[in-house]
Amino acid sequence: MTDKQEPVGISRGLTNYGDFDFARYLRMSFARSMGYSTEMLARPVVGIAGTYSEFNNCHRLVPELIAAVKRGVIAAGGLPLEFPTVSLGEVFLKPTSLFFRNLMSMDTEEMLKGQPMDAVVLIGGCDKTVPAQLMGAVSANIPAIQLVTGPMMTGRWRGERLGACTDCRRFWAKYRAGELDSESIQEVEGSLSTTAGTCAVMGTASTMAAIAEALGIMLPGTAAIPAVHADRLRAAEASGVAAMRLAHDKLTPDRIITGQSVENALRVLLAIGGSTNAIIHLTAIAGRAGIKVDLQRLNELSDTTPVLVDLKPTGSYYMEDLHAAGGIGAVMRELKDLLHLDCMTVSGETLGERLEAPQPYIDRKIIHAVSAPLQPEGGLVALFGSLAPNGAILKRAAADPRLFEYEGRAVVFTSIEDMAARVDDPDLDINDDDIMVLQNAGPKSASCMPEAGYLPIPTKLARKGVKDMLRISDARMSGTAYGTIVLHVSPDAASGGPLGLVRTGDRIRLSVKERRVDLLVDADVLAQRTPGQAPPLPKRGYARLYGQEVLQAEQGCDFAFLVPEPSDP
Ligand code: FES
């Protein structure tokens, strides 16, 4: 290698000993200790960000995927080198996986920048992993391609088809209402999650996979392939081949994740009735590229994007059905007239060229035509108003339209602990026309914005058959949940936002038509009340960094110091 040649593969980014020839000689010597030939070590390197963890059931088959990616890289003339990063298994983390998303993104970014690789294949799946990997990849800005672990297959219980985790909630609600005994709920528990892979419905993981495909940072047709399907391994092999092409073309994420591709992703999010969490994650991914996701713009897009996909939690079917029905490619072909087709993708073609490929079959039960949509407007809507000056999100596709124009009495829970202690109290002062309000569950709270926005219907009302009530909080909600639930209220209560000023008995008004949620209390009354405040900053460690740096929901809950100056798309 002469000084003028750009280093390739293992020779990239040499350790600094003050003597680069020595550093290269030392690195080669150590690399050879792993048994590679000098010919292999001269090849371009494709890193594989592996996220296998026995604390992450959704990533159980990552080792198989890594093996298939390696096949692709080697076949294309490269050297694949896998490395571990943080892995986030949604239900195995406390206080909540969102708390760790930025940690994983920092880990991913620094390992991409610090290790010698010409491109990387990111293998993620469970809710926070794909956002974290994409945030890291955008910040590192080396050629990157996303591969997901894929969704679970459905299970069966007494003749009924079950999939995590919409059916988890459905059956738990029945159990709480006394319709199911403890033996039956244990049987259900064993039938909900029966294969490797991510949740089987259009939850956050599936939504983020769809968004990755829509952004163009994943191969076409690969978002919905079930985890255990042989096509998933073929997608992994093809991703390895594609990574080599990306390395050769130096096609970096800044050319793929642009203002226009982010709008394409928002369109797809709205058309699939996707998870509310995806707004936070897409905002964070775009934010790393200096692109602002504006909630007013979200509403404009929502007004002109129909819901096309009939999947749980808003519809009837599961991810394996979406794959068989034509996948996200079929959805995007339906949306073609609404998309920016010039966007570049990791396959080296524009989105328009990608969508020119014929769609051999579409199952119209699952993917509706634009001319016959499930709903004429998008699945999500942003709300503003005196209770949420900086915005809130309602998944109207999963909500009861009878509550869209609604006024009622607030029943306030001041924290998740308060809610857990009182919600099932038979003496709780609550009626089925009240509005349940949860405070101190936002990003700045001690609970770090958990998926607690799906407040349980109080047992005494559930037993009377009440299935839905208007619920409002600064929390998030699982992408697999449903109900008339206003989320991500910003500023959150712990930042001193108006949500923290609500008291039981106050009147609140929701108007989806006007995109508003208002606290109907005079300003002079509110001025007498004490606003919420953030908990004391932890003394050390990552929790301190989180407490100091985490931003609000409309800023993607990223850390302030990780976000470049925003510029409009
Ligand atoms: Fe991993 Fe649902 S728990 S995707």
Side-chain angles (χ1 to χ4, degrees):
M1 185 191 78
T2 70
D3 289 347
K4 291 202 178 100
Q5 286 175 316
E6 189 186 346
V8 170
I10 212 86
S11 300
R12 284 181 168 272
L14 292 169
T15 315
N16 193 353
Y17 299 110
D19 178 344
F20 287 111
D21 288 337
F22 171 72
R24 184 171 184 283
Y25 149 82
L26 197 65
R27 180 177 289 174
M28 289 300 284
S29 170
F30 281 35
R32 288 172 74 170
S33 80
M34 293 188 277
Y36 294 111
S37 63
T38 49
E39 290 75 21
M40 285 300 282
L41 290 173
R43 291 179 167 204
V45 168
V46 172
I48 305 171
T51 48
Y52 175 78
S53 160
E54 290 187 341
F55 289 104
N56 192 343
N57 58 295
C58 304
H59 291 205
R60 177 155 66 85
L61 296 183
V62 164
E64 275 195 354
L65 293 175
I66 289 175
V69 171
K70 285 183 174 178
R71 277 206 306 271
V73 173
I74 291 169
L79 171 63
L81 295 178
E82 67 175 279
F83 61 97
T85 70
V86 167
S87 183
L88 303 176
E90 187 65 21
V91 300
F92 293 97
L93 290 160
K94 70 165 188 183
T96 167
S97 62
L98 182 66
F99 174 74
F100 297 102
R101 185 202 62 183
N102 297 346
L103 177 67
M104 181 173 174
S105 85
M106 290 165 70
D107 178 5
T108 304
E109 174 185 344
E110 298 306 331
M111 289 302 98
L112 300 195
K113 290 195 301 199
Q115 299 175 131
M117 62 188 86
D118 299 270
V120 64
V121 179
L122 307 159
I123 305 182
C126 196
D127 291 15
K128 308 305 179 293
T129 58
V130 169
Q133 290 186 320
L134 291 180
M135 290 161 72
V138 169
S139 294
N141 205 31
I142 70 161
I145 182 168
Q146 183 76 57
L147 173 70
V148 292
T149 57
M152 288 181 211
M153 301 293 282
T154 50
R156 296 286 186 281
W157 181 68
R158 298 187 186 175
E160 207 175 329
R161 195 177 181 206
L162 302 189
C165 212
T166 302
D167 296 321
C168 317
R169 293 169 205 287
R170 185 162 62 85
F171 278 94
W172 190 250
K174 283 183 184 216
Y175 175 61
R176 278 176 57 80
E179 295 168 29
L180 218 61
D181 61 22
S182 50
E183 216 166 90
S184 300
I185 196 72
Q186 276 186 25
E187 285 176 24
V188 170
E189 181 189 289
S191 310
L192 283 162
S193 311
T194 51
T195 75
T198 50
C199 287
V201 297
M202 190 51 80
T204 305
S206 302
T207 306
M208 291 312 303
I211 279 179
E213 188 169 331
L215 284 169
I217 197 130
M218 193 159 80
L219 287 181
T222 61
I225 305 168
V228 296
H229 198 303
D231 282 350
R232 173 65 49 212
L233 294 173
R234 280 184 276 274
E237 186 181 300
S239 298
V241 174
M244 281 296 291
R245 204 169 42 232
L246 289 177
H248 178 266
D249 296 345
K250 299 188 173 39
L251 185 50
T252 41
D254 58 345
R255 292 172 56 198
I256 293 171
I257 297 183
T258 62
Q260 292 198 329
S261 70
V262 169
E263 281 212 357
N264 288 343
L266 285 168
R267 290 274 190 201
V268 167
L269 165 64
L270 293 161
I272 61 179
S275 163
T276 47
N277 282 312
I279 292 284
I280 292 179
H281 298 319
L282 185 56
T283 300
I285 295 163
R288 292 294 183 92
I291 299 160
K292 184 175 173 357
V293 171
D294 179 18
L295 293 180
Q296 301 282 9
R297 179 68 181 146
L298 171 73
N299 280 343
E300 289 168 20
L301 296 174
S302 192
D303 289 344
T304 52
T305 309
V307 177
L308 302 179
V309 174
D310 189 6
L311 248 61
K312 290 179 182 237
T314 57
S316 309
Y317 295 94
Y318 296 89
M319 283 299 285
E320 66 192 69
D321 305 319
L322 178 63
H323 176 57
I328 295 302
V331 178
M332 292 185 81
R333 283 180 183 88
E334 285 299 320
L335 295 174
K336 207 168 170 185
D337 290 345
L338 299 172
L339 300 176
H340 301 287
L341 299 176
D342 291 339
C343 294
M344 182 48 66
T345 72
V346 282
S347 27
E349 56 193 351
T350 64
L351 178 65
E353 288 163 346
R354 220 183 224 200
L355 298 183
E356 271 167 24
Q359 180 74 42
Y361 171 73
I362 299 179
D363 184 341
R364 290 296 181 198
K365 286 197 305 300
I366 292 149
I367 303 171
H368 286 229
V370 162
S371 54
L374 277 160
Q375 293 178 28
E377 295 173 319
L380 302 174
V381 66
L383 304 169
F384 300 89
S386 63
L387 191 56
N390 295 346
I393 296 288
L394 171 74
K395 187 172 184 177
R396 64 177 158 189
D400 183 347
R402 287 173 305 173
L403 296 173
F404 282 7
E405 306 301 318
Y406 193 76
E407 185 185 318
R409 181 186 78 126
V411 174
V412 177
F413 300 94
T414 55
S415 67
I416 292 170
E417 293 73 24
D418 179 39
M419 180 183 72
R422 293 195 297 123
V423 74
D424 291 331
D425 183 342
D427 296 328
L428 179 69
D429 174 20
I430 193 162
N431 299 307
D432 59 1
D433 57 353
D434 287 335
I435 298 173
M436 298 174 74
V437 174
L438 173 65
Q439 299 168 326
N440 294 306
K444 282 284 188 191
S445 72
S447 54
C448 307
M449 208 179 186
E451 291 185 338
Y454 178 76
L455 278 72
I457 302 292
T459 303
K460 71 177 192 181
L461 298 180
R463 287 183 187 269
K464 282 193 212 158
V466 177
K467 299 259 184 291
D468 195 9
M469 292 170 69
L470 178 54
R471 289 160 270 181
I472 301 176
S473 75
D474 46 10
R476 295 177 300 118
M477 172 174 89
S478 165
T480 62
Y482 47 89
T484 313
I485 299 174
V486 176
L487 302 155
H488 311 177
V489 169
S490 176
D492 67 343
S495 303
L499 184 73
L501 299 175
V502 186
R503 301 289 180 265
T504 293
D506 289 349
R507 307 289 296 177
I508 290 176
R509 182 156 51 86
L510 169 70
S511 173
V512 175
K513 207 167 17 172
E514 294 173 26
R515 310 281 193 263
R516 290 188 69 90
V517 57
D518 287 293
L519 176 59
L520 306 178
V521 177
D522 290 342
D524 52 340
V525 175
L526 293 179
Q528 307 297 316
R529 296 180 181 173
T530 312
Q533 55 181 6
L537 209 52
K539 283 208 165 33
R540 60 173 299 281
Y542 176 72
R544 184 175 176 85
L545 188 66
Y546 177 95
Q548 271 173 340
E549 296 289 339
V550 72
L551 297 169
Q552 293 287 297
E554 78 277 8
Q555 296 161 300
C557 299
D558 204 353
F559 289 165
F561 68 93
L562 296 173
V563 184
E565 284 297 302
S567 67
D568 287 328

